[in-house]
Every structure is written in structure tokens, then in C-alpha cells.
Amino acid sequence: MAKFSTIKQHLYSKIASGEWPEHHPVSSENALAQQFKVSRMTARRALQELADEGLVIRSKGSGTYVAPIKSQTSFMAIRNIADEVRSRNHDYRAHVHVLRKEAATAHVAELLQLDAGKPVYHSVITHFENDLPVQVEERYVNPELVKGYLSQNYEEITPHEYLCEVSPLTEASHEIEAITPSPQLCQWLKLSKPEPCLRINRRTWSAAGVVTFAVLTHPGSRFSLGGHLHFGSARA
Amino acid sequence: MAKFSTIKQHLYSKIASGEWPEHHPVSSENALAQQFKVSRMTARRALQELADEGLVIRSKGSGTYVAPIKSQTSFMAIRNIADEVRSRNHDYRAHVHVLRKEAATAHVAELLQLDAGKPVYHSVITHFENDLPVQVEERYVNPELVKGYLSQNYEEITPHEYLCEVSPLTEASHEIEAITPSPQLCQWLKLSKPEPCLRINRRTWSAAGVVTFAVLTHPGSRFSLGGHLHFGSARA
DNA sequence: AAACCCTAATTGTATATACAAGAACATTTT
DNA sequence: AAAATGTTCTTGTATATACAATTAGGGTTT
């Protein structure tokens, strides 16, 4: 591992563990250079990249400090639909429509970074809030990275919860769009006639590669996404 | 202006103008160092930052190339629709439907944290990408915090750009939903019949309080929101 | 034609150094 | 006490240099 990367890891752990809370001063470039026996420029690179990622804030003349927590994750903190429903003190229930092994289509294979035709796990689940469908979750899973996916009871534990247990995710990408639901989706969502739906396409990675790809569809009338951002770090 | 910044501007203009299209090779570190009479490390910084911003792709041994145009943008960055359109090398145009002072309704007053009946500034603007409407921006502005709002030409500068100039924003909240557009919105978006639209409700704060509240409506067929998250820090 | 090897170019990592600019704190002067 | 001054620490910019790792292309051999 590169030296600057070693230093980044060290600082990551201090911040992630909570040992250094918000606004706590971070070791200066010179201090890190001494501690890790590298040049100031190398220590600087570690701090600079952390600043670019929004984890720390740097101020000329003053120093480097742990960034206030809210800055990035709140919006798209990976949501667990079950927790969300329960946090509103509503009943949560799930119904599994599909749970099986399939051969990957070209499209699915590309998204999971596998070869077409290789087996993938496929699930379709409707999530209910007080017996009203609020999300249809269609998911494809990389079977090489998640062995026991098919043998879980997804009316007890959500796929998201299981996947988080099995392989800690390191990265996620999202795309949000507004769509008209297909007849099949209307049925699963118990919509008597099509209404605009919010669709979230989410891909998540672990260190080993793409773990899963999910298409989450919410009826527009029953769902909205919220988020809050703080600025102040401002490295334009 | 710092030297690395000068070089970035130079490269940015090459890319934005289309003189260097997708995948076109970008001057190497050494070439830029000679051309601008700086050290390789300074030229390198310019290229590296452009790579961090996603404008170019660097490949060890091969070189630096203009990145493929990305069709989605990060949620996290407060997006300026004009920049976004132009970053795709498309034409940007705006049309102002409404720009006036009004008395705040109870709803607007609450969102701006003002008293009902107090004056507020109200604007409605359609933003075009290649003559196709991609966003209707309906906006209410706190007149106590932004004096000259009504006297700007919003076909030249976007409200967002003006507001950023006048009062640096410190905070923002977003809500995203899928809606069916009203007849009025269909007209402004030039939709012959209603289609699902992505709606973003955004409120922004400066240190002094709520600056503005915007309702941004995008046709589902012409827009999607994208974002990417890293969890190396584990603050999720 | 194909396989192989060598070379040049390019990006990636790392170091040592220099000076500028801002912030914080202690010291001196008023 | 308040104001001015200076010192020191910190980050920001810039340079020159060295070597590693990878790629692309050219030339040679098979």
C-alpha cells in the first residue's frame, strides 16, 4: 500500500471510531510526517485527499479538523425500508414474489460486472406500510460474493440487512428518475391505475466488486425522499 | 490566480468548447509544463484535479483523455442547471414567465420563516437544453436577505448563480418526489400530455436565515439524478 | 504473420526545499 | 486595560529531482 494511503487509513480509523469527534483537531502535516517518517508532501497528500472527500476541513494558518458529520451522507444514507416504516410507528410487512437463481442477461451481467449467461440471484419483493405497498424491490445479486442469498427468509429480514451483514459495502451509486409503472408493477403496488413513480437504481460495491444491483419503485403518492446538507467546508 | 489554476482554465476551455471531444488526448504533464513554463508537478496538479472532477480520465503509461460526457450529476453538489447543460456541450436558454413581488401566502411564509402577508419575491423560469424544456424553476426569495433579486436578467444569469453571489449559502434541504404535472406545468414544459415528473423541493439557508425556497420540476423522460457515495470512511 | 524484446513516453509515488499567507498566541507598547 | 507588534505554527503554492509501473510502438526474430 502507498504511504499516503497508509496515513489515510490511520486517520479514517480515528474518525470512524469516534475517537476524534466533530471539530476535533487532526494531526498537522508536519506531525504526521514525523510520526510516519515520510516527507511533509506525502503527509499533506493524505490530509488533502481526506479534505476532498469531505471528512476533514482544512484552514490555512489554523489547522485541519474533523468535518461536521452531516455534510455528505444524510441524503443517500443507504435506507432500509423496514427501519424507515417502523420509525414512523407503522406496521411493516413484506411479500416475496420471486427468489431464484437465473442466467444473467447481457444487461444484468454488465451491471454486476459478470459474464452474460453466468448464474445470478434474482429477487422481487413488495414492502408494505400498514398493508399499503410502498416499495417494490427488484434485486440482482452476485452469487460469487453472496453465497447464502437464496436461503434467507425475506419476510423476516430485508435483503439489504442480510447483504450488509454478509459483506460490508464500501461504495454505492444511485440514480433517481420518475417513471410510469408497468402493468406488472401496478399489480405488485396495488395501483388500480398507473401513477407517477419514483424509481431508485442503486448499485453497491464491496472491496471485492459489485455485490448487488437494485431497482426500487415507489408510488409517487406514497413516498418522497428527503435530505439535508450542510456546507462550510467549501473546497470548490 | 495560481498557476495550476490557469492551466485548469485553459484545459477547461478546450473541453467545454468541444475543441477536444470525448476521448480526445489531453496534453501530457511534461507538455503542459513546457508550454506554461512550470514544473511537472504543477502541471500534474491541474490534470489531477480535472480527473478528480471527472472531466478527464488518466491512464498510467497511456496518457490523459477527455472523459465521456456524463449524463447524470451528483445530488450532493447544489446543481446549477445552466452549468449542467453546458457541461454536456448543449445549448442553454432560459425563459422568464414570472418575476415580481407578492404578498406571502401562509404556506410560503412558513417555508421562508416570515410572517404571512409580508412581501416576497416570486419567479418562474423555464430552462431549456437544446430548445427542449428540462426544468421549470418556481422560486420564492426572502426580500430581506436578497435586495436586488427582481432587477436581474435571468436569461443571462440563473437565480441560483445570483443568489450564490449575494449570500453564500450554508445549508440546504431537499425533498424529491414523483408527481403528475399540472396543465400549467405541462404548458411550460411543452408536454403534449402529462408524464411523470421528478420534483425537487429545495430550501437554502445562509447564516442569516432562510434565503429561498425552490420547486424544480423535470420531465421524467428528459432527466435523472445521479449520485455516488464512498464509504471508506464508514460514517454511514 | 506472429511472437518476442527493447525503448520511449506517460502517469504514479515520494522526497527535500523554498517561500507566501493566514491564524493563534505571547510580548511589548501605549 | 487596550492596542500594537512580533513570533511561531499551520496550510498553500511551486520547483527540482528520483525512481517505479504501465502502456504503446517499433524493430527483430522466429
Side-chain angles (χ1 to χ4, degrees):
Chain A
M1 185 185 290
K3 294 185 181 179
F4 74 88
S5 210
T6 306
I7 301 177
K8 276 179 73 175
Q9 287 301 318
H10 171 255
L11 297 173
Y12 273 145
S13 71
K14 294 283 186 187
I15 297 171
S17 70
E19 186 176 339
W20 288 352
E22 284 182 55
H23 302 116
H24 188 280
V26 176
S27 317
S28 74
E29 297 176 358
N30 286 319
L32 287 172
Q34 276 202 2
Q35 183 182 346
F36 286 89
K37 297 186 168 55
V38 298
S39 72
R40 182 195 148 207
M41 293 309 287
T42 299
R44 173 180 179 73
R45 178 166 176 184
L47 288 170
Q48 192 58 59
E49 291 197 3
L50 289 180
D52 291 342
E53 293 166 20
L55 269 86
V56 301
I57 293 177
R58 316 194 72 198
S59 170
K60 189 196 286 192
S62 176
T64 304
Y65 305 90
V66 177
I69 291 198
K70 276 279 193 177
S71 55
Q72 281 251 329
T73 42
S74 64
F75 202 100
M76 266 299 130
I78 295 283
R79 287 158 178 278
N80 181 349
I81 185 73
D83 288 345
E84 210 168 317
V85 169
R86 293 196 188 105
S87 76
R88 291 195 277 268
N89 282 325
H90 289 174
D91 286 332
Y92 167 79
R93 182 166 65 83
H95 180 74
V96 178
H97 302 287
V98 174
L99 180 60
R100 63 180 172 226
K101 178 153 65 173
E102 292 177 5
T105 64
H107 180 239
V108 169
E110 189 191 337
L111 288 168
L112 288 179
Q113 293 173 5
L114 291 171
D115 294 327
K118 284 275 182 73
V120 294
Y121 300 149
H122 180 203
S123 62
V124 178
I125 300 171
T126 301
H127 300 272
F128 294 83
E129 177 165 2
N130 290 343
D131 290 322
L132 205 63
V134 289
Q135 181 189 96
V136 168
E137 170 192 2
E138 178 157 25
R139 185 181 288 276
Y140 292 90
V141 175
N142 186 335
E144 295 174 12
L145 299 180
V146 187
K147 300 296 180 187
Y149 185 73
L150 295 183
S151 51
Q152 304 302 311
N153 178 1
Y154 291 117
E155 307 196 349
E156 290 297 323
I157 181 176
T158 65
H160 177 262
E161 285 166 344
Y162 176 66
L163 291 168
C164 280
E165 276 183 22
V166 171
S167 74
L169 45 93
T170 58
E171 233 175 296
S173 74
H174 296 79
E175 189 191 22
I176 301 178
E177 52 188 346
I179 59 135
T180 304
S182 66
Q184 173 65 272
L185 272 170
C186 287
Q187 190 186 320
W188 283 334
L189 287 168
K190 292 186 182 171
L191 295 173
S192 53
K193 54 182 181 180
E195 69 170 43
C197 286
L198 203 59
R199 166 158 291 173
I200 304 167
N201 301 303
R202 174 193 296 165
R203 229 168 12 143
T204 53
W205 282 257
S206 74
V210 179
V211 174
T212 178
F213 172 71
V215 179
L216 312 175
T217 308
H218 300 263
S221 61
R222 301 176 200 155
F223 191 81
S224 76
L225 265 177
H228 198 81
L229 291 187
H230 290 257
F231 304 94
S233 48
R235 211 185 107 91
Chain B
M1 181 185 291
K3 295 185 181 179
F4 74 86
S5 209
T6 307
I7 300 176
K8 276 180 75 174
Q9 288 301 316
H10 170 256
L11 296 174
Y12 185 79
S13 72
K14 294 281 186 185
I15 297 170
S17 70
E19 186 178 339
W20 288 351
E22 281 180 58
H23 303 115
H24 188 279
V26 176
S27 317
S28 72
E29 298 176 357
N30 285 317
L32 287 171
Q34 278 203 0
Q35 183 183 346
F36 286 89
K37 295 186 170 55
V38 298
S39 73
R40 181 193 149 206
M41 292 310 287
T42 300
R44 173 181 179 74
R45 177 166 177 183
L47 287 171
Q48 192 58 56
E49 291 197 4
L50 288 180
D52 291 343
E53 293 165 20
L55 271 85
V56 302
I57 293 179
R58 316 195 72 200
S59 169
K60 188 196 287 191
S62 175
T64 304
Y65 304 91
V66 176
I69 297 169
K70 50 176 179 183
S71 53
Q72 17 173 286
T73 58
S74 166
F75 316 88
M76 304 313 174
I78 290 280
R79 295 160 321 99
N80 181 348
I81 187 72
D83 287 345
E84 205 168 321
V85 169
R86 292 197 189 104
S87 76
R88 293 195 276 267
N89 282 323
H90 290 174
D91 285 334
Y92 168 77
R93 184 166 64 82
H95 180 74
V96 178
H97 302 286
V98 173
L99 180 60
R100 62 181 174 228
K101 177 154 64 173
E102 293 177 5
T105 64
H107 180 237
V108 169
E110 188 192 337
L111 287 168
L112 287 180
Q113 294 174 3
L114 291 171
D115 294 328
K118 285 275 184 70
V120 293
Y121 298 149
H122 181 202
S123 62
V124 179
I125 299 171
T126 301
H127 300 274
F128 295 84
E129 176 164 1
N130 288 343
D131 290 322
L132 205 63
V134 289
Q135 180 187 99
V136 168
E137 169 193 1
E138 178 157 24
R139 185 181 288 276
Y140 291 91
V141 175
N142 186 335
E144 295 175 12
L145 299 180
V146 186
K147 300 295 181 189
Y149 186 74
L150 294 183
S151 51
Q152 304 302 310
N153 178 2
Y154 292 117
E155 308 196 345
E156 290 297 324
I157 181 176
T158 65
H160 176 261
E161 283 166 344
Y162 176 66
L163 291 168
C164 280
E165 274 182 22
V166 171
S167 74
L169 45 93
T170 59
E171 235 175 295
S173 73
H174 294 80
E175 188 191 24
I176 301 177
E177 52 188 345
I179 59 133
T180 303
S182 66
Q184 173 64 272
L185 270 171
C186 286
Q187 190 185 320
W188 281 334
L189 287 169
K190 294 187 181 170
L191 295 174
S192 53
K193 54 181 181 180
E195 69 169 43
C197 286
L198 205 58
R199 167 158 290 173
I200 303 166
N201 299 303
R202 175 194 296 165
R203 228 164 21 138
T204 53
W205 283 257
S206 75
V210 179
V211 174
T212 178
F213 172 72
V215 179
L216 312 175
T217 308
H218 299 264
S221 60
R222 301 176 200 155
F223 192 79
S224 77
L225 265 176
H228 198 85
L229 287 186
H230 291 256
F231 297 102
S233 58
R235 287 221 273 162

